[in-house]
């Protein structure tokens, strides 16, 4: 039987449920209520995809991510591509060009060496394409039945250029919201393979490293206020996180959000909302209005930004809330997802 989502999780459950890994409200509660207090943190507002830290006079971005995607290979990529591009993109959202990665691999006893080799080759090719070096790593093996073939963790560091300050607290009413291209392809590509679904057109993941696109945008202006790559929880989760952290309201034009027809059709069949479907090669940017047109033009001239579009703006109304204006002239609240529509997509 086709299962499109984990069971609706209750927030007072005493055990971890799949929704805790979905990048939505349950994930945030797990971090804020369990990990932050234990690690000595108390303010969830600064939590972003990578941390900006100073070391030896240099301003660095530092990030870590773990990848548990199922299946290991999918149209447009593999867990090896995700392991590199996901961490490179988290660094890029701080304005940093990734320099070095670590790679930890957990293998399940019994996985074929040929499969491990294919993943390693994909990981190496992705690193070369992104212009980043994998300089340290680790491998572990768990007993058969205690893993799912291959899990990967990557951590990365990169330099943040002078004058770059990307964080949601910089968002102000009037900022223009730009998405770098069409949404939803990655999550639908994963689901199509996982559930052996057939569509008229094969949908491929958008998995890509965004460092070069971000550099192109910063070359136009440093007045990018915040960047986010809408992975788990999709565009909806990213917009809600920015609204909550900034205190601004966000209005998007539903028809302006680029969704490829094959993805829209697949989502309609599967009962999914493309706004909540994961992406692995897209970003959303909040840009000062005076620079928005120039930034948009530069994005469209880049290979990874050809479908970039202005989809909305930050407003004073309904602070901390995301609202979509529909094609029929109405409005709807775009909520933060609680769990996830598609588990194990990255």
């Amino acid at each position: 039987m086709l299962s499109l989502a984990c069971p609706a999780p209750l927030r007072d459950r005493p055990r971890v449920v799949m929704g805790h890994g979905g990048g939505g409200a349950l994930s945030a509660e797990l971090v804020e209520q369990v990990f932050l207090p234990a690690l000595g943190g108390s303010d969830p507002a600064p939590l972003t995809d990578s941390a900006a830290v100073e070391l030896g006079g240099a301003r660095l971005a530092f990030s870590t991510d773990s990848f548990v995607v199922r299946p290991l290979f999918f149209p447009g990529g593999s867990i090896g591509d995700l392991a590199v591009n996901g961490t490179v993109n988290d660094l890029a959202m701080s304005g940093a060009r990734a320099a070095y990665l670590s790679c930890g691999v957990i293998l399940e006893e019994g996985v074929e060496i040929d499969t491990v080799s294919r993943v390693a080759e994909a990981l190496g090719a992705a690193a070369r394409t992104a212009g980043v070096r994998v300089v340290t790593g680790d491998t572990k093996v768990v007993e058969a039945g205690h893993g799912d073939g291959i899990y990967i963790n990557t951590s990365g560091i990169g330099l943040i250029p002078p004058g770059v300050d990307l964080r949601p607290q910089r968002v102000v009413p009037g900022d223009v919201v730009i998405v770098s291209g069409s949404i939803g392809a990655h999550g639908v590509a994963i689901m199509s393979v996982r559930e052996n679904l057939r569509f008229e057109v094969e949908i491929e993941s958008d998995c890509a490293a965004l460092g070069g696109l971000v550099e192109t945008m910063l070359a136009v202006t440093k007045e990018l206020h915040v960047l986010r790559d809408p992975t788990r929880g999709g565009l909806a989760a990213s917009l809600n996180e920015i609204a909550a952290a900034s205190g601004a309201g966000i209005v998007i034009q539903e028809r302006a959000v680029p969704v490829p027809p094959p993805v829209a059709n697949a989502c309609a069949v599967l009962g999914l909302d493309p706004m909540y479907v994961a992406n692995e090669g897209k970003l959303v940017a909040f840009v000062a209005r005076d620079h928005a047109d120039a930034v948009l033009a530069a994005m469209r001239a880049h290979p990874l930004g050809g479908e970039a579009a202005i989809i909305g703006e930050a407003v004073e109304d309904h602070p901390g809330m995301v609202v979509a204006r529909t094609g029929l002239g109405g409005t709807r609240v775009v909520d933060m997802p609680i769990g996830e529509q598609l588990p194990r997509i990255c």
Side-chain angles (χ1 to χ4, degrees), residues 95-135:
R97 164 69 80 161
Y100 301 108
L101 297 182
S102 70
C103 179
V105 182
I106 299 174
L107 304 173
E108 182 183 13
E109 179 186 24
V111 66
E112 295 182 355
I113 295 296
D114 284 349
T115 299
V116 179
S117 179
R118 287 178 62 196
V119 169
E121 289 171 359
L123 194 150
R128 289 188 291 274
T129 299
V132 65
R133 291 180 59 200
V134 179
V135 294

Side-chain angles (χ1 to χ4, degrees), residues 226-241:
V226 67
L227 301 177
R228 192 63 58 91
D229 59 331
T231 53
R232 296 178 304 168
L235 182 61
S238 292
L239 292 175
N240 272 277
E241 289 168 356

Side-chain angles (χ1 to χ4, degrees), residues 40-340:
S42 59
D43 183 5
L47 297 179
T48 54
D49 290 334
S50 61
V53 297
E54 293 191 8
L55 182 64
R59 192 158 170 255
L60 303 175
F62 179 45
S63 184
T64 189
D65 206 345
S66 298
F67 300 88
V68 297
V69 64
R70 179 171 59 85
L72 299 176
F73 302 93
F74 47 83
S78 71
I79 191 172
D81 301 281
L82 285 176
V84 171
N85 294 338
T87 296
V88 166
N89 292 347
D90 285 348
L91 295 172
M93 298 307 103
S94 291
R97 164 69 80 161
Y100 301 108
L101 297 182
S102 70
C103 179
V105 182
I106 299 174
L107 304 173
E108 182 183 13
E109 179 186 24
V111 66
E112 295 182 355
I113 295 296
D114 284 349
T115 299
V116 179
S117 179
R118 287 178 62 196
V119 169
E121 289 171 359
L123 194 150
R128 289 188 291 274
T129 299
V132 65
R133 291 180 59 200
V134 179
V135 294
T136 188
D138 181 53
T139 58
K140 293 291 191 296
V141 177
V142 298
E143 297 89 343
H146 290 263
D148 199 5
I150 302 174
Y151 299 149
I152 300 178
N153 172 274
T154 48
S155 297
I157 57 173
L159 282 171
I160 300 175
V164 174
D165 183 17
L166 298 173
R167 50 193 174 89
Q169 291 77 14
R170 294 196 64 210
V171 171
V172 296
D175 281 357
V176 173
V177 184
I178 304 175
V179 67
S180 66
S182 56
I183 64 169
H186 176 72
V188 174
I190 294 291
M191 181 56 66
S192 68
V193 178
R194 186 183 297 174
E195 301 295 344
N196 195 29
L197 302 175
R198 295 287 185 269
F199 303 110
E200 291 185 4
V201 178
E202 183 178 61
I203 299 171
E204 293 191 353
S205 169
D206 60 347
C207 186
L210 297 170
L213 176 60
V214 172
E215 286 187 349
T216 296
M217 297 166 67
L218 288 171
V220 175
T221 179
K222 297 294 196 297
E223 283 303 305
L224 309 180
H225 289 166
V226 67
L227 301 177
R228 192 63 58 91
D229 59 331
T231 53
R232 296 178 304 168
L235 182 61
S238 292
L239 292 175
N240 272 277
E241 289 168 356
I242 293 168
S246 68
I250 298 173
V251 175
I252 63 169
Q253 304 296 328
E254 199 167 55
R255 285 188 172 178
V257 178
V259 180
V263 170
N265 294 337
C267 286
V269 170
L270 299 172
L272 304 176
D273 184 340
M275 288 284 292
Y276 293 88
V277 177
N279 312 273
E280 288 293 343
K282 299 296 185 296
L283 63 82
V284 59
F286 283 65
V287 184
R289 182 172 296 279
D290 291 346
H291 302 283
D293 289 341
V295 170
L296 180 64
M299 294 173 72
R300 287 177 171 172
H302 190 278
L304 295 179
E307 296 179 304
I310 293 174
I311 63 170
E313 63 180 336
V315 297
E316 293 183 359
D317 297 336
H318 50 79
M321 183 182 296
V322 182
V323 170
R325 290 183 178 152
T326 69
L328 298 177
T331 60
R332 67 181 180 95
V333 175
V334 180
D335 287 323
M336 184 72 164
I338 294 178
E340 59 186 332

Side-chain angles (χ1 to χ4, degrees), residues 9-15 26 29:
L10 300 177
R11 298 192 186 204
D12 59 353
R13 284 191 178 186
R15 299 180 186 275
L26 280 177
E29 290 175 4

